[in-house]
Each structure stands twice: as C-alpha cells, then as structure tokens.
Amino acid sequence: MPDVINISVNTPYPGTESWITDGRRLETRDYRLFDIQHAVLPTRLPLAEFYRELVTTQRAIYRRHLDWRQLWEASGIVAQLLLRGQTNFVRSLFSLNSVYRPELLLADHAAPMTYGIPLPPQGRKEHRGAGASFYVHAPRGRKGRAIDGATERFVEETRMGTAP
C-alpha cells in the first residue's frame, strides 16, 4: 500500500529538460500556476474538461487509498502529529472536496498575473543532444555513485534490457 498517492501535472521548471524543450509552448507564464497542479502547457482536452477529469481521478484515488481504514492504521502517526500541534495532514484528508475543485483551478488562470516567468533562451538548438546541459548539476556518472563492487556486479547482472 503506497503511503502517498498524487497525480502531478507536467510543469516545466527553469533549468529542467522540459523547460528547455517545452518552455516556448507555455500557455501561461504566471508564476503562481507553476505548482504541479495547474496546466501551464497545452492540453489535449479543453482546460475546463482537463481539470474536471484531473479532480475526478484524484478523488477516485483518494477514495480508494485514503479512507477510514487507512486512517485507523496510521492512527499512531496521526496521534503523534496532533500531539505536536501538526494538523495539516489530518485536515488535508477532509478538505479535498472543498479545496481541490475544477472551478477553482480554472479560476486561477483568469486571475491577473503579478509575476511572469521569463521564457527560456531562444537558441534551444544548442541544447539538443547535450544531455549534461539539461541539469543544474552536471551528471557525475558512475564516479558519483557510492556503491561497493558486489552491488555494482549485481546491478550489471540484473540490468533489464541487456543481452542474456
């Protein structure tokens, strides 16, 4: 049983591969909407329908995996959180329908923009194929791994997609 289940909307953040490859297709540059819950890239469905489907799916997941039985099973953790005055988790279990609503998500798009994220640089051609430039920190490859020889052999022997 997973501890937390959530659906995230693809949100290209500056410095990521999707920012470089999809940043010029942004439907909005409103900083408030870059929160993995709002659609900032074009959607195949009309935006209102997209949000209805997103919320319906999220509610179905919550009903399936976050019910009273799971709350009872996690009651020890809940009690510890409540004793420390941390109520956000418990309140979030009961506030989904009042906070996560398609009309609210859609209304956020109509609000005036106070801060717009600048678009990525024009010359995105130089980024194609340059994998290291997609990362804020350059990938270190195998040198950056802290594993022993036995673990490395196990990884190599069990790697999927390799020849037998």
Side-chain angles (χ1 to χ4, degrees), residues 34-155:
F34 282 73
D35 62 358
I36 72 170
Q37 295 299 319
H38 289 86
V40 296
L41 292 172
T43 59
R44 290 186 180 183
L45 296 172
L47 201 53
E49 187 178 348
F50 174 82
Y51 283 136
R52 274 194 308 275
E53 291 295 324
L54 176 67
V55 170
T56 300
T57 304
Q58 190 71 49
R59 285 181 182 153
I61 290 171
Y62 274 34
R63 272 194 306 276
R64 172 80 173 102
H65 295 288
L66 294 176
D67 59 14
W68 286 105
R69 186 182 63 210
Q70 279 77 30
L71 187 57
W72 177 255
E73 291 172 359
S75 61
I77 296 169
V78 169
Q80 288 174 358
L81 291 172
L82 291 174
L83 286 172
R84 290 188 300 216
Q86 296 176 345
T87 60
N88 289 349
F89 173 71
V90 176
R91 283 191 334 217
S92 74
L93 296 175
F94 301 102
S95 64
L96 177 71
N97 291 331
S98 64
V99 175
Y100 198 57
R101 298 189 341 233
E103 62 272 13
L104 294 178
L105 291 166
L106 195 56
D108 289 337
H109 286 269
M113 179 173 57
T114 55
Y115 175 75
I117 292 180
L119 290 173
Q122 279 286 68
R124 89 180 182 180
K125 281 180 252 158
E126 70 267 11
H127 294 292
R128 268 195 204 124
S133 67
F134 288 145
Y135 300 96
V136 174
H137 300 287
R140 296 181 293 170
R142 291 183 183 264
K143 291 181 279 191
R145 297 183 190 160
I147 59 175
D148 59 22
T151 305
E152 183 70 30
R153 281 190 299 281
F154 172 79
V155 169

